[in-house]
Amino acid sequence: MISFRKAPLLATVLLTSTFALTPTTQAQDNKPAPAKQEVPKPGFKVEMKRGEVLQVIASELRDDGQAAARKYGQTAFPIAQSFGFQRLGQLNVNRKVISDFDPEVFSFFSWPDQASVDAFAKHPDWPAIKATRPDAWSELKVYSVELQDDLKLQFDPSKHYTVLVAWLKTDEAIGDYNKYLEGIESAVERSGGRFIYKMRNPSMEAHASDPAAPHQLTFVEWETTDGFDKVQASQEYLDHRQYFGTSIERVEFYWLKAPS
């Protein structure tokens, strides 16, 4: 429930020591070389288990909100951490395609389980801290879902990402929406893209928007930024776009990038 856009991010400092081999003894010379450590991939990853809670937070910082955002993080983050809250990484918004909302970042967080989220929400200091969100952000949308399956994602700075936040006309319209997504999937793959995660039926918190939660956030990874243009020119898209029209009430659509 916390966002740190334009505010200092927590960093982990790793201390390493280097020991030079010396020819003082044969035993030292014959010691096996240390195992080669795997170099972490750039970007960030999401590795979560079934039953954990994923939060994706889209935040639009006020022009004068940096100090308030910093204070919010300094007060809320330690309390949330005590309940197992972790920051996983963020995708920066490169371009807003469709939206009245203008977020700078989509940040990813995890909780051990729903019970931990509920316990944090009952902390006596939390209501007063939460009430300061409007001082820092023009809007802060918190999408949350309890995972029904294990989840592994790798966000790569060399790739490009889109997220489509979809509000459907009715709950039953999910059938047509799935027909649209499934119908264009081959065109997405042929155009250098792949569906990587569908966040279905999340809850949503917001202080400046319609409180109705979207039905789905759909994340797609792309090799190039013209991938969706190619999809729209495909026969698969032309054959299935009717299902988008029959299912969608409104959408937000953004191009995203992982920090390098």
Side-chain angles (χ1 to χ4, degrees):
M1 301 180 183
I2 309 164
S3 178
F4 295 93
R5 179 65 173 167
K6 296 184 181 177
L9 300 178
L10 292 180
T12 301
V13 179
L14 299 178
L15 300 178
T16 60
S17 299
T18 302
F19 296 92
L21 291 176
T22 59
T24 52
T25 68
Q26 186 67 29
Q28 287 178 317
D29 289 342
N30 293 336
K31 282 184 179 178
K36 185 177 180 180
Q37 293 185 344
E38 183 179 350
V39 178
K41 292 182 179 180
F44 70 96
K45 62 184 177 181
V46 175
E47 291 187 352
M48 297 177 61
K49 298 295 185 180
R50 182 179 185 274
E52 294 182 340
V53 174
L54 172 66
Q55 286 188 333
V56 177
I57 302 181
S59 54
E60 180 182 355
L61 189 69
R62 292 170 54 97
D63 290 340
D64 60 350
Q66 291 190 25
R70 187 177 301 111
K71 183 177 180 181
Y72 176 92
Q74 290 170 344
T75 52
F77 200 91
I79 299 172
Q81 280 184 310
S82 71
F83 291 95
F85 179 80
Q86 293 185 30
R87 182 182 183 277
L88 305 175
Q90 69 183 48
L91 294 173
N92 297 329
V93 177
N94 271 12
R95 181 162 62 98
K96 178 182 72 172
V97 181
I98 303 172
S99 185
D100 295 330
F101 175 42
D102 195 19
E104 296 99 353
V105 64
F106 280 72
S107 302
F108 290 70
F109 301 88
S110 69
W111 295 85
D113 47 39
Q114 186 60 47
S116 300
V117 179
D118 296 341
F120 168 73
K122 294 177 182 178
H123 190 281
D125 293 343
W126 174 234
I129 297 171
K130 184 178 179 180
T132 67
R133 284 178 176 174
D135 298 333
W137 294 280
S138 301
E139 180 58 293
L140 190 76
K141 294 185 179 181
V142 182
Y143 305 107
S144 304
V145 69
E146 183 176 348
L147 296 180
Q148 301 304 305
D149 299 287
D150 294 353
L151 178 64
K152 287 189 177 183
L153 301 171
Q154 177 69 49
F155 291 102
D156 185 343
S158 69
K159 309 291 185 180
H160 308 272
Y161 298 90
T162 54
V163 61
L164 184 70
V165 187
W167 286 261
L168 305 184
K169 293 178 179 179
T170 65
D171 291 344
E172 292 72 25
I174 191 63
D176 277 1
Y177 188 53
N178 285 336
K179 285 181 182 178
Y180 165 73
L181 293 178
E182 292 166 4
I184 67 170
E185 187 166 6
S186 59
V188 168
E189 293 175 352
R190 194 170 61 249
S191 302
R194 64 185 184 99
F195 291 101
I196 59 172
Y197 179 54
K198 296 172 183 176
M199 188 182 204
R200 295 184 172 97
N201 297 314
S203 63
M204 186 185 80
E205 296 178 41
H207 63 258
S209 300
D210 182 337
H215 289 79
Q216 187 164 300
L217 281 72
T218 303
F219 290 88
V220 183
E221 181 182 83
W222 302 91
E223 295 293 332
T224 62
T225 55
D226 63 350
F228 188 62
D229 293 336
K230 294 176 182 177
V231 172
Q232 289 180 301
S234 71
Q235 190 61 48
E236 292 96 327
Y237 178 81
L238 297 176
D239 290 343
H240 292 87
R241 63 182 176 180
Q242 61 180 309
Y243 298 113
F244 186 87
T246 57
S247 60
I248 291 295
E249 178 69 30
R250 62 187 176 93
V251 298
E252 297 174 3
F253 185 42
Y254 309 93
W255 278 94
L256 312 170
K257 192 74 172 174
S260 54

